[in-house]
Amino acid sequence: MNIGSICEFDDGKGRTYIGSLVATEHKSNGGARFEMMGANGNTYHIGEKSVTFSTPPPANPKECAKLLKDLNKAHGEDAVELRMALNVDAELIALAWEETDSLMEYSGSQEWPLPHSDTITAGAFLELVSGAPANSPAEKYRAWRLLGFTELGHIFFKAIKEKGRVTSFRAKTAKAVEDAKKAFCNGSHGNEEPGFCLI
């Protein structure tokens, strides 16, 4: 990661924050420690594996400050706010799940993993549901959070980690989706998506 990268990170106490990378210290065992300046103004010293999401910094300092603010806002959004910001409902997520396997051969973007894979990245998900690449890193971050960290996302996809970071999402089996959908609709979230739960 480059100095200035905007990241979501864990402080080691189970709390996540948004911040920018201000310093890197490489350890003799090959690992790294990072000094992060949180959007809240606090400084954090964390291990490399504590970074859960990162995006390169924009070249312009004003754009960098705006991106930090946008990601921090997205970090505080709940599942409904994430879906509203992305203009995505349960039916679109279900469509993305259904099409994931057949569309993995799509070659117009580097967002797609290997052909014939049952995984999808946040960027590829956005292309699938909107027909266009992500408009911003904040939009990609929202999709990443929606797929990996909400009840609705967990119905259809399982987060896949590389070096401790969620990098893509694997489509669940039809049986697993059916069971998860029943639990979602019969639970406290069912009233969030009444049309989805009637099908």
Side-chain angles (χ1 to χ4, degrees), residues 24 27 33-34 57 73 78 86 94 96 107 127 132 140 146 168 193:
T24 302
K27 298 167 69 177
R33 294 215 33 96
F34 298 140
K73 179 180 184 297
D78 64 21
L86 293 169
S107 60
E127 284 189 45
K140 195 180 285 189
L146 177 66
S168 60
E193 292 286 345

Side-chain angles (χ1 to χ4, degrees), residues 64-86:
C64 196
K66 181 183 181 320
L67 178 58
L68 183 64
K69 184 178 177 181
D70 290 348
L71 260 64
N72 197 46
K73 179 180 184 297
H75 181 259
E77 293 172 347
D78 64 21
V80 173
E81 291 168 324
L82 289 170
R83 290 196 324 265
M84 288 176 59
L86 293 169

Side-chain angles (χ1 to χ4, degrees), residues 24-113:
T24 302
E25 175 189 335
H26 293 282
K27 298 167 69 177
S28 60
N29 65 1
R33 294 215 33 96
F34 298 140
E35 181 179 331
M36 306 294 294
M37 176 60 69
N40 59 10
N42 295 334
T43 301
Y44 300 87
H45 298 274
I46 61 169
E48 184 176 17
K49 289 188 177 183
S50 294
V51 174
T52 52
F53 178 90
S54 68
T55 188
N60 181 319
K62 285 184 180 180
E63 289 177 16
C64 196
K66 181 183 181 320
L67 178 58
L68 183 64
K69 184 178 177 181
D70 290 348
L71 260 64
N72 197 46
K73 179 180 184 297
H75 181 259
E77 293 172 347
D78 64 21
V80 173
E81 291 168 324
L82 289 170
R83 290 196 324 265
M84 288 176 59
L86 293 169
N87 197 25
V88 171
D89 60 11
E91 287 79 15
L92 278 176
I93 298 172
L95 176 65
W97 168 76
E98 290 172 3
E99 297 297 323
T100 296
D101 189 47
S102 62
L103 290 179
M104 285 300 124
E105 294 182 47
Y106 179 73
S107 60
S109 168
Q110 294 194 5
E111 293 290 347
W112 291 96

Side-chain angles (χ1 to χ4, degrees), residues 111-126:
E111 293 290 347
W112 291 96
L114 296 173
H116 306 295
S117 173
D118 61 350
T119 62
I120 191 169
T121 64
F125 168 79
L126 289 170

